[in-house]
């Protein structure tokens, strides 16, 4: 025998083997684990105690006993345990296989729950076959398989170049027991009796990794006694009571008895006694060390389960903190191609990959193809304890009709933060309307090398949210006209009978009818108990057609629907009225979608939308009409944000698309809330780890940013950290007196050549927007969006001016031509701006009268001397305040092309009074919108719309000509 082998020899037994006390060693392990958990939590407050889920099928007394031991061990180790017991098919009376299906579903949920460190399926599964047991064991995530039974863990155990996630508990306990004797396994001879996947085979693998020479035996092994007698270490896991005798052993051998067998014993109350696979009395006289049964391997199995669960918790915590984003590289050309050429040249990541990288779990994702998906709102419940990330709103100066690149800046900034500065960054943008897409303005996916992809899907149907908005809106419009028709053609009694027909001799109220009764002050739930007068009040809405504010919508620019007549068919019996179509994104349903906090809030908002007044002056709501619930059903998927990605693979939420002049022009509160949680950190974590959410506000800051601050943040309760104001040399030259900028016409030479005097005059518009942002207590970062013809002196002039009038930072940005790389300086300025706590404040108190709130906005935001209301507008204000809507915020509907009401007045107009020709109510969206000047809610098509260039390649199926 070699020298190494001699060194490895166990000591020769004297007369009695030393007992390896598994209980004592297991207790030491549990105490050590408890201390380690406490120490780690003290060092890292975001590390929480490990959580183990134990699943049991059936009521086996033996399983229940084992589980009780594990629960106690977990408590002593400083862990938490959830024991979930599922009735077997025999217990529940369910069809065969039902119990296994329930266990599989519980495993799936536990796999997805990041709070679960480890999953243990207690075997055997009562009533299940071997194949079913295997399917359940295999379904446990390998990263949570603390039992070590997953095939991948078993397979890795035998590998010489890699390690399993977890070592099976009993084999790991066996090795710990051997090592507790001080014996060196290297070069020793070990015999393992048993070849099960749970003990025998894994023990052999572990012994080999300790450089022992291993012989594995089983029931058919020949010359078994001789083989055992040659072993320095014997591990018995063969499942036969007292099978190994003392005379089989080599003197001084170490004996580890894994067996658990019951033999008759009349002296015991139970009539039986627990013994191992080794005849303890004879073996203990030959061996140097031996494990007792019970009290040997059993406690160690449970202890190693606790050890594995702790390791799983540490690994999960560490993995959760790792940055997972893998950016997509950009192949940029000096001459920037068209948007669509850039977009189709980039191969997006699968949306499931984007979701995983940002921390969305598989069961929180509803895929719509390979590259876009809906996010389930349940993610908010899972992340409710996280702190929010930093919140940045992107706005701009008063734009030219061509737009100044707010969407492009939003995406470029997200790419810079996420792909280049390794920050957790999520962009939140609105879904574009197909009206502008096929008209003049174009899409809203950004541009150049800062885009949302796939760009074609983004700018077209996407996941159908706008169609859902249109369907819900038009259902209500149809219901309004139908209700008026039926009231027009029926007497009160017949109307009531048709609204509450007898079914099997009994009448009942529908859910919205009960809501209407409550609003009327009628405290009755049985239709038969209403008096004739109450029946009439309930059934007859008595809508005044002149007060109807609800139009039909469609997502197309169609100028000929700005005024229409409905009801001209002879079947409508002469009941006609004047009405109109709006574009879908101007619908209050869209504003409701954007401002809803959850499904219940959306349902309530839809119900309280006011569509008209009765002839008595009472507001008529969608709930009164009776279709708010059906509208909510149409919107049930639209309320979920859509996940997409930028050209550089950073995540983007696309959700809602309310008009920025008629409505508040911001993406949804729900998308922002989910993004802020995903970008946030856990309590106690280092603040420098916080991520960033970049949300865009439509049009100039006097519209989009003002409404973001005074409307959206009031509803959401969220507080922005900073505003990015996008400015361009082109727009500032226009405000300095440059010629008109018109879509479809070439730019005047003044915009493509250096003109510092003109630029300096126009900077006043930027100064006004900086001043406005400061009134909300926001840090201001000016992004000077660079175009190809802008010169260095022009950029420096704007930068110097912005800083001189109060901007916290002013940074040139070239993200259109350089992607995220071109916005790194901007991103670093945003990071600095967000270091301090938000000092955000509102512009006005909601309790002020409506007209006074209008005046504050007009004076503070636009620089007007005041407001002037038409008689009609004044009457509407008085009516809304009388109806109880005076406490709502104001959503000014005015041109985006000037700080004033006149689009031709550029720069910073003064000496004007803001004319308000009418005032409308969006009770569901919870704002009042004054109409300033002539505002259209249905755009028209130009002589040469964009659809001329859009086509489908018949050979490849690719979209061509879209931007």
């Amino acid at each position: 025998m070699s020298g190494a082998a001699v060194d490895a020899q166990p000591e020769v037994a004297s007369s009695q083997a030393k007992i390896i006390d598994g209980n004592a060693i297991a207790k030491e392990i549990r105490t050590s684990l408890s201390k380690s958990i406490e120490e780690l939590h003290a060092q890292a407050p975001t590390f929480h105690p490990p959580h183990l889920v134990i699943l049991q099928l059936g009521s086996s007394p033996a399983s229940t006993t084992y589980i009780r031991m594990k629960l106690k061990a977990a408590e002593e180790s400083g862990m938490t345990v959830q024991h979930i017991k599922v009735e077997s098919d025999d217990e529940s009376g369910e069809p065969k296989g039902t119990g296994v299906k329930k266990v599989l579903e519980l495993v799936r949920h536990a796999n997805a729950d990041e709070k679960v460190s480890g999953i243990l399926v207690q075997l055997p599964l009562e009533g299940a076959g071997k194949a079913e047991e295997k399917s359940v064991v295999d379904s446990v995530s390998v990263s949570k398989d603390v039992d070590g039974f997953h095939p991948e863990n078993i397979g890795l155990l035998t590998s010489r170049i890699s390690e399993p996630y977890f070592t099976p508990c009993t084999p790991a306990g066996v090795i710990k027991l051997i090592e507790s004797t001080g014996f060196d396994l290297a070069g020793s001879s070990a015999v393992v009796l048993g070849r099960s996947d749970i003990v025998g085979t894994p023990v052999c693998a572990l012994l080999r990794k300790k450089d022992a020479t291993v012989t594995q035996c089983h029931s058919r092994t020949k010359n078994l006694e001789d083989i055992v007698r040659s072993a320095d270490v014997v591990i018995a896991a063969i499942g036969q009571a007292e099978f190994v005798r003392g005379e089989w052993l080599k003197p001084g051998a170490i004996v580890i008895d894994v067996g658990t067998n019951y033999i008759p014993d009349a002296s015991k109350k139970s009539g039986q006694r627990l013994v191992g696979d080794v005849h303890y009395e004879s073996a203990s006289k030959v061996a140097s060390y031996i494990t007792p049964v019970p009290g040997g391997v059993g406690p160690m199995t449970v202890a190693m389960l606790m050890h594995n669960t702790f390791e799983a918790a540490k690994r999960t915590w560490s993995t959760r903190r790792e940055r997972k984003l893998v950016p997509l590289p950009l192949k940029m050309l000096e001459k920037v191609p068209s948007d669509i050429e850039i977009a189709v040249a980039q191969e997006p990541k699968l949306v499931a990959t984007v979701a995983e990288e940002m921390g969305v779990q598989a069961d929180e994702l509803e895929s719509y193809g390979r590259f876009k998906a809906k996010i389930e709102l349940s993610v908010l419940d899972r992340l409710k304890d996280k702190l929010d990330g930093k919140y940045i709103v992107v706005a701009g100066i008063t734009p030219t009709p061509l737009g100044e690149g707010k969407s492009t800046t939003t995406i470029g900034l997200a790419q810079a933060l996420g792909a280049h500065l390794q920050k957790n960054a999520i962009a939140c943008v609105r879904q574009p309307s197909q009206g502008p897409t096929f008209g003049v303005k174009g899409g809203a996916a950004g541009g150049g090398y800062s885009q949302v992809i796939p760009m074609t899907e983004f700018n077209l149907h996407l996941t159908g949210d706008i169609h859902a908005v249109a369907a819900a809106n038009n259902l209500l419009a149809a219901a309004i006209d139908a209700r008026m028709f039926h009231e027009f053609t029926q007497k009160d009694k017949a109307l009531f009978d048709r609204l509450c027909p007898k079914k099997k001799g009994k009448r009942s109220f529908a859910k919205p009818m009960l809501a209407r009764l409550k609003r009327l002050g009628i405290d009755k739930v049985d239709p038969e108990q209403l008096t004739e007068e109450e029946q009439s009040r309930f059934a007859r809405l008595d809508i005044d057609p002149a007060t109807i504010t609800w139009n039909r919508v469609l997502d197309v620019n169609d100028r000929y629907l700005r005024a229409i007549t409905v009801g001209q068919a002879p079947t409508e019996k002469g009941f006609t009225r004047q009405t109109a179509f709006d574009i879908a994104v101007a619908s209050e349903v869209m504003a409701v979608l954007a401002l809803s906090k959850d499904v219940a809030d959306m349902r309530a908002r839809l119900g309280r939308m006011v569509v008209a007044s009765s002839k008595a002056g009472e507001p008529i709501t969608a709930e009164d009409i009776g279709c708010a619930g059906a509208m909510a059903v149409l919107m049930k998927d639209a309320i979920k944000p859509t996940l997409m990605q930028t050209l550089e693979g950073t995540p983007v939420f696309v959700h809602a698309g309310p008009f920025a002049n008629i409505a508040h022009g911001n993406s949804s509160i729900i998308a922002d809330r989910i993004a802020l949680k995903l970008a946030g950190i856990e309590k106690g974590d280092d603040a420098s780890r916080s991520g960033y959410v970049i949300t865009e506000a439509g049009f100039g800051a006097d519209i989009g940013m003002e409404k973001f601050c005074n409307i959206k943040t009031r509803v959401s309760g969220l507080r922005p950290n900073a505003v990015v104001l996008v400015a361009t040399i082109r727009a500032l030259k226009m405000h300095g007196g440059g010629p008109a900028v018109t879509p479809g016409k070439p730019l005047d030479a003044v915009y493509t050549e250096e003109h510092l005097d003109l630029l300096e005059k126009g900077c006043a518009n930027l100064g006004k927007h900086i001043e406005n942002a400061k009134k909300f207590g926001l840090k201001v970062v000016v992004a000077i969006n660079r175009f190809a013809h802008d010169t260095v002196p022009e950029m420096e002039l704007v930068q110097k001016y912005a800083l001189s009038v109060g901007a916290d930072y002013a940074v040139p940005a070239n993200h259109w031509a350089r992607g995220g790389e071109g916005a790194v300086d901007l991103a670093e300025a945003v990071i600095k701006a967000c270091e301090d706590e938000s000092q955000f404040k509102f512009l006005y108190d909601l309790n002020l009268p409506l007209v006074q709130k209008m005046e504050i906005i007009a004076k503070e935001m636009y620089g007007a001397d005041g407001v002037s209301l038409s008689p009609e507008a004044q009457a509407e204000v008085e009516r809304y305040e009388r109806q109880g809507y005076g406490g709502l915020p104001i959503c000014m509907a005015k041109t985006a092309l000037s700080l004033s009401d006149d689009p031709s007045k550029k720069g910073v107009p003064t000496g004007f009074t803001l004319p308000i020709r009418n005032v409308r109510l969006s009770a569901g969206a919870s704002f009042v919108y004054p109409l300033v000047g002539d505002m259209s809610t249905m755009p028209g098509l130009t002589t040469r719309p964009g659809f001329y260039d859009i086509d489908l390649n018949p050979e490849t199926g690719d979209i061509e000509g879209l931007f």
Side-chain angles (χ1 to χ4, degrees), residues 693-936:
V693 172
I694 309 100
T695 191
E696 179 199 0
F699 288 141
D702 57 312
I703 295 181
M705 183 195 71
E706 182 271 315
K707 294 174 181 179
F708 171 87
C709 294
N710 281 323
I711 297 174
K712 184 176 178 180
T713 60
R714 286 188 198 270
V715 177
S716 69
L718 303 171
R719 295 294 178 263
N721 296 88
V723 60
V724 173
L725 279 177
V726 180
T728 62
I729 305 298
R730 177 181 68 193
L732 292 173
K733 286 180 178 178
M734 180 192 70
H735 288 297
V741 176
T742 306
K745 292 184 179 180
L747 285 172
D748 190 275
V750 72
Y751 296 111
T752 57
E753 298 172 357
E754 187 176 286
H755 284 272
L756 297 179
D757 290 345
L758 197 64
L759 177 62
E760 189 170 13
K761 291 177 185 176
C763 280
N765 183 270
L766 171 59
K768 177 59 178 168
H769 287 294
I770 293 171
E771 175 193 323
N772 287 353
K774 287 293 184 179
K775 289 175 181 177
F776 291 102
L778 292 173
K779 289 289 186 74
V780 178
V781 180
V782 173
I784 311 168
N785 191 7
R786 184 175 183 178
F787 288 6
H789 41 67
D790 297 335
T791 67
V792 172
E794 287 176 331
M795 301 292 283
E796 289 176 347
L797 187 155
V798 176
Q799 190 175 16
K800 183 177 179 181
Y801 175 85
L803 294 172
S804 71
V805 295
D808 295 280
Y809 304 91
V811 185
N814 195 21
H815 40 279
W816 179 80
R818 303 302 302 166
E821 175 190 313
V824 167
D825 290 345
L826 175 63
E828 289 175 340
V830 166
I831 291 171
K832 292 176 183 176
C834 292
E835 287 176 353
D836 298 329
E837 286 294 317
S838 174
Q839 302 299 313
F840 176 78
K841 58 187 177 183
F842 297 117
L843 189 65
Y844 55 78
D845 187 331
L846 283 182
N847 294 319
L848 295 173
L850 290 174
V851 173
Q852 191 172 343
K853 286 181 280 195
M854 296 176 204
E855 285 180 338
I856 290 173
I857 294 173
K859 291 178 179 179
E860 298 294 332
M861 293 288 106
Y862 313 149
D865 295 332
V867 296
S868 174
L869 275 69
S870 69
E872 184 181 6
Q874 186 62 49
E876 292 293 339
V877 167
E878 292 172 1
R879 180 156 65 96
Y880 295 146
E881 290 186 333
R882 184 173 63 252
Q883 292 176 343
Y885 297 111
L888 294 180
I890 300 298
C891 183
M892 286 288 196
K894 82 168 189 72
T895 179
L897 300 178
S898 173
L899 284 166
S900 73
D901 60 296
D902 185 350
S904 66
K905 292 182 178 179
K906 305 302 180 182
V908 185
T910 58
F912 68 95
T913 299
L914 197 71
I916 297 175
R917 64 177 177 86
N918 211 330
V919 180
R920 292 285 181 259
L921 171 68
S922 288
S926 299
F927 55 70
V928 171
Y929 62 99
L931 297 170
V932 180
D934 186 17
M935 292 302 303
S936 174

Side-chain angles (χ1 to χ4, degrees), residues 68-88:
R68 195 180 302 121
M69 292 167 53
K70 293 164 185 174
L71 293 174
K72 183 180 178 182
E75 182 182 352
E76 292 177 358
S77 301
M79 304 181 188
T80 58
V81 184
Q82 182 183 12
H83 173 206
I84 304 176
K85 184 177 176 182
V86 177
E87 288 186 330
S88 67

Side-chain angles (χ1 to χ4, degrees), residues 499-643:
L499 285 171
C500 301
K502 285 188 176 181
K503 294 181 180 178
K504 296 182 180 180
K506 185 174 177 61
R507 301 184 195 274
S508 62
F509 288 123
K511 184 179 177 181
M513 294 177 177
L514 294 171
R516 172 160 174 77
L517 287 168
K518 185 176 180 180
R519 233 165 53 86
L520 293 172
I522 301 173
D523 187 21
K524 296 176 181 178
V525 295
D526 184 354
E528 303 291 358
Q529 293 182 357
L530 267 63
T531 64
E532 288 188 7
E533 187 270 338
E534 288 172 336
Q535 288 181 6
S536 176
R537 287 177 60 208
F538 160 75
R540 194 165 292 280
L541 300 180
D542 204 21
I543 295 172
D544 180 356
T547 66
I548 296 175
T549 57
W550 199 262
N551 292 337
R552 289 165 174 80
V553 300
L554 78 168
D555 197 30
V556 174
N557 290 2
D558 194 342
R559 63 174 66 248
Y560 272 80
L561 294 177
R562 289 170 176 169
I564 61 171
T565 301
V566 295
Q568 294 199 10
T571 51
E572 309 326 306
K573 301 181 181 180
F575 180 69
T576 63
R577 70 180 182 90
Q578 295 291 316
T579 182
F581 269 80
D582 298 328
I583 197 163
V585 290
S587 169
E588 185 180 352
V589 178
M590 180 61 85
V592 163
L593 174 64
L595 288 169
S596 295
K597 291 182 285 188
D598 50 40
V599 173
D601 187 35
M602 181 181 73
R603 171 61 181 86
R605 286 175 177 275
L606 291 171
R608 64 174 183 257
M609 293 187 304
V610 173
V611 300
S613 293
S614 69
K615 292 173 183 175
E618 295 298 317
I620 302 297
T621 67
E623 199 73 79
D624 292 324
I625 299 294
C627 69
M631 293 172 72
V633 169
L634 289 170
M635 297 288 290
K636 72 179 181 66
D637 292 321
I639 196 170
K640 304 170 189 175
T642 299
L643 175 63

